[in-house]
Amino acid sequence: MDWDDHAERWDDDEAVRAYAGAAFASLQREADRRGLELRGNSALDFGTGTGLLVGKLHGSYESIDAVDTSAAMRAVLRRKVLANDWSHVRVLESVPRAGPRYDLVTCSSVCAFLDDYPA
C-alpha cells in the first residue's frame, strides 16, 4: 500500500478515527490498571500516520516523537502540530538511533504492515 496516496483523506475515515480512539482508551485503561501516571513522560508513536493517536496523547506527555515513513502522512501531521501549537511533538522519518529513552512506545495498527517484522 502506498500510504502517501491516502494521507490527505486519512482523517476523514470514521473507522480510522474510531480505531485511534479505541487505541487511546485501551492505553488509558492499561495505565490505570497498572497505576501508571502518563503526565510528564516521553512517548514514541511508531507508524504515527497523520497523528490521530498523537492528537489524543499530546495533552498527557511532555514530549512525543511521532515516526512514520510516509512523507505525505508526516506532512499532514506537521500541519496539525503547527495549527495546534504542539511544540512538544517532533515529527520524524525514523526512530532516533541515539538520544531519548521513552516512557511509552506505541505502534497502533502498524506491525501488520512491516516488511520485516522480526527485524
Side-chain angles (χ1 to χ4, degrees):
M1 176 178 285
D2 188 349
W3 296 105
D4 286 349
D5 293 341
H6 300 281
E8 290 300 323
R9 295 175 310 283
W10 191 251
D11 291 1
D12 297 336
D13 187 325
E14 178 68 29
V16 170
R17 290 193 313 274
Y19 190 91
F24 180 74
S26 176
L27 171 65
Q28 188 63 59
R29 278 191 309 275
E30 186 62 20
D32 291 346
R33 186 182 75 76
R34 292 174 180 243
L36 300 174
E37 177 60 44
L38 299 181
R39 293 208 175 277
N41 290 318
S42 64
L44 167 70
D45 186 22
F46 179 75
T48 196
T50 62
L52 288 170
L53 185 56
V54 168
K56 301 197 178 299
L57 295 171
H58 80 87
S60 298
Y61 286 84
E62 184 174 305
S63 65
I64 300 173
D65 283 352
V67 175
D68 203 283
T69 57
S70 166
M73 291 282 191
R74 290 192 314 271
V76 171
L77 178 52
R78 280 192 182 98
R79 290 195 302 265
K80 289 180 187 179
V81 167
L82 289 173
N84 294 294
D85 194 28
W86 296 342
S87 58
H88 61 298
V89 176
R90 292 191 314 166
V91 181
L92 306 170
E93 182 177 356
S94 61
V95 177
R97 291 205 178 264
R101 292 185 54 188
Y102 301 103
D103 299 300
L104 173 74
V105 175
T106 62
C107 55
S108 173
S109 187
V110 73
C111 292
F113 298 102
L114 296 175
D115 292 334
D116 186 357
Y117 181 77

